[in-house]
Amino acid sequence: MTGRRAAAVALLAGAATVGAFAPLGLYPLALLGFAALIHLWIEAPRPAAAFRAGFWFGLGLFGCGVSWVYVSLHRFGAMPAPLAAIATLAFCAVLALYPALAGWLQARVPAPQAIRAVFLIPALWTLIEWLRGWVLTGFPWLSAGYSGVDTPLAGLAPLGGVYALSLATLVLAGLLWCMVRGRARWRAALAFAAVLAAGWALRQLHWTTPYGAPFRAAMLQGDVPQDLKFDPRRYSKTLETYARLAEQSRARLIVLPETALPRFLDSIDPGYLRQLAAIGRRNGGDLLLGVPYRAAPGEYYNSVLSLGSSPSQIYNKVHLVPFGEFVPPGFGWIVRILSIPLADFSRGAPDQKPLAVAGQRVAVDICYEDAYGAAIARALPAATLLVNVSNVAWFGDSLAPAQHLEIARLRALETGRMMLTATNTGITAAIGPHGRVLARLPEFVVGRLEVEAQGYTGTTPYARTGDWPALAAALALLALAYLVARAGRSR
């Protein structure tokens, strides 16, 4: 296959793989896309060719899958369209370097083709994907494992998290390649079925048990357009909307979205805050309010404040969004181009305790903090309930809200906890401890989602060990591939 043809195939395979994630959720596209990449890597004549194939696959995957970055930069950040397009492409190109690196590394190990497809490539992909999740604060979006949330592989999540699903997905893709290429076809087919059967069997297990009695919970969706969110003329209407939605609820726990009130806490009318607190007390519970918090001059936090029957508590966001919530050193010029307010927050303490509200111990995370599974799991076993508050209005009518909901579903699976998500424009939802969406609101509507919620206690294996079991399995496959390759060279 010529270089240009391989690049085109890799680009199309990466783009098609996006269909395996939400909102389409066509998991076979992940197996086909990764099987195509495995074929290109195995057939690559040199490591440099494998690097290029991995780069083009990654550019297709991220160029389509996170195209919503352009919406944020141009439509809401007021960056000129050409510059926003260039910045988005550059961002996706940087992300594409990760699969490119995986391709180059696998090409350096002269393992047999079947071993390369089933052991070496899945192991390296998983390890490189994990690196992408923390290098330079990390960007774990579109990890391969998220595509498996509605498959039997979801049973692996309480053991090894999203990276266990990534490893299993790449192994299945390698086995699919073996079946198509006739490499020990029947053994590959049996192994393929065995992986799925193991995931299905694990999914039948219950790692956690109910804590206390069920209770009513309400998530409020104000549907405030992002281009009006910080407009002073819109402020009073925003307060009126959330007060009305909260007043209508008799839920013991009421959750408002991230920065639901778009002013610093010390700038909000104390009478309005007392009104919200009174609603929480009237319902015999509490209200969680997303609001910016100014602790001192120059010390600002993206926070969630509790109001109501319990003593007031606050959670300050830990994992901030580069350029949206903090400015990396040397990049102040980008913020001068963007029209994004409140762009330099402080980080909250990493060891904050769950909020004791509404008879539960609630682990709160804000926006894309829930993309970091190991960080969420650190709140266990203390936390009995997970709550995510977000404002994905930054990304308009794009793939981002559905992808974010998919991420939240996997966090529920990993922890064996119910997850409540309250968003400004959608998707506001309630997710059960097995990752299933129990109820949701449509996007871009003003509404209140009221559900029967349940706290849970107990600890999944993932909550104890984090990502390490999946990484250890990947390293074991990598070592096995290396030993087989070495044994082959010694003959």
Side-chain angles (χ1 to χ4, degrees):
M1 188 180 295
T2 65
R4 289 183 179 179
R5 186 178 178 186
V9 171
L11 185 69
L12 290 173
T17 301
V18 175
F21 299 89
L24 293 180
L26 301 176
Y27 183 70
L29 289 178
L31 301 183
L32 293 172
F34 286 118
L37 177 63
I38 289 169
H39 179 73
L40 292 171
W41 278 349
I42 289 176
E43 296 295 319
R46 294 178 299 278
F51 180 93
R52 288 192 294 270
F55 176 83
W56 287 111
F57 181 91
L59 196 62
L61 176 67
F62 297 113
C64 292
V66 298
S67 55
W68 38 262
V69 170
Y70 172 84
V71 178
S72 178
L73 294 176
H74 172 56
R75 181 178 173 186
F76 302 117
M79 181 179 281
L83 188 57
I86 292 172
T88 302
L89 182 62
F91 176 64
C92 294
V94 170
L95 294 177
L97 292 175
Y98 287 97
L101 176 61
W104 184 83
L105 288 173
Q106 64 84 31
R108 305 291 298 178
V109 181
Q113 290 186 348
I115 296 297
R116 184 184 303 279
V118 180
F119 294 166
L120 179 61
I121 291 175
L124 283 171
W125 179 277
T126 303
L127 293 170
I128 296 298
E129 193 174 79
W130 175 75
L131 286 175
R132 176 164 62 85
W134 65 266
V135 171
L136 298 177
T137 77
F139 188 78
W141 214 271
L142 290 186
S143 292
Y146 289 117
S147 65
V149 71
D150 284 316
T151 73
L153 297 183
L156 299 172
L159 276 73
V162 66
Y163 298 116
L165 272 73
S166 292
L167 182 63
T169 294
L170 269 290
V171 167
L172 289 179
L175 291 169
L176 177 61
W177 180 86
C178 289
M179 286 186 279
V180 172
R181 298 289 290 181
R183 308 283 178 176
R185 181 173 294 165
W186 289 110
R187 280 183 290 177
L190 288 173
F192 190 99
V195 172
L196 292 176
W200 179 86
L202 288 168
R203 191 155 195 182
Q204 311 313 306
L205 300 178
H206 297 272
W207 300 98
T208 56
T209 56
Y211 172 83
F215 62 97
R216 299 298 293 175
M219 289 74 74
L220 311 186
Q221 183 172 293
D223 191 34
V224 181
Q226 188 59 40
D227 49 2
L228 298 178
K229 185 175 178 68
F230 295 96
D231 187 336
R233 295 168 295 183
R234 170 75 193 214
Y235 180 69
S236 60
K237 184 177 180 180
T238 298
L239 267 62
E240 177 188 342
T241 297
Y242 282 116
R244 173 174 53 82
L245 290 172
E247 182 66 41
Q248 293 170 352
S249 174
R250 293 298 186 269
R252 191 176 182 189
L253 178 64
I254 300 175
V255 186
L256 279 67
E258 176 188 15
T259 58
L261 306 187
R263 289 188 181 177
F264 285 110
L265 180 62
D266 57 9
S267 300
I268 298 170
D269 178 9
Y272 182 80
L273 297 176
R274 287 195 295 270
Q275 179 186 359
L276 296 181
I279 293 172
R281 288 194 296 271
R282 179 200 67 190
N283 297 348
D286 298 278
L287 181 146
L288 298 180
L289 170 66
V291 62
Y293 171 61
R294 178 163 42 202
E299 187 179 349
Y300 313 121
Y301 296 95
N302 187 351
S303 303
V304 170
L305 174 72
S306 74
L307 300 168
S309 302
S310 306
S312 185
Q313 301 152 73
I314 196 165
Y315 168 78
N316 299 320
K317 187 176 182 183
V318 178
H319 210 113
L320 304 179
V321 180
F323 305 112
E325 293 175 318
F326 80 99
V327 184
F331 287 91
W333 60 275
I334 291 182
V335 176
R336 290 191 289 271
I337 295 174
L338 299 175
S339 297
I340 298 178
L342 305 173
D344 203 7
F345 284 102
S346 303
R347 296 180 187 275
D351 56 349
Q352 299 174 72
K353 295 181 179 179
L355 305 184
V357 294
Q360 299 291 322
R361 297 186 297 274
V362 179
V364 176
D365 57 89
I366 300 176
C367 193
Y368 95 139
E369 278 191 310
D370 66 353
Y372 298 86
I376 301 298
R378 280 198 292 269
L380 270 64
T384 59
L385 182 73
L386 306 181
V387 168
N388 174 268
V389 299
S390 299
N391 177 31
V392 289
W394 283 112
F395 309 114
D397 187 11
S398 69
L399 299 175
Q403 292 173 350
H404 193 215
L405 179 63
E406 188 172 64
I407 288 170
R409 293 177 62 196
L410 198 45
R411 297 293 87 85
L413 273 165
E414 289 170 345
T415 59
R417 297 295 193 272
M418 192 170 188
M419 166 78 87
L420 306 178
T421 69
T423 68
N424 176 23
T425 56
I427 303 171
T428 295
I431 304 165
H434 278 74
R436 300 181 182 92
V437 176
L438 305 177
R440 56 180 285 179
L441 287 178
E443 292 182 76
F444 307 109
V445 299
V446 177
R448 183 184 82 253
L449 180 65
E450 197 149 324
V451 300
E452 184 176 86
Q454 175 66 63
Y456 286 85
T457 188
T459 308
T460 63
Y462 180 78
R464 295 191 186 94
T465 58
D467 297 323
W468 293 111
L471 300 180
L475 288 170
L477 290 183
L478 189 63
L480 182 59
Y482 174 77
L483 291 174
V484 171
R486 185 176 178 181
R489 289 196 303 269
S490 65
R491 290 174 183 170

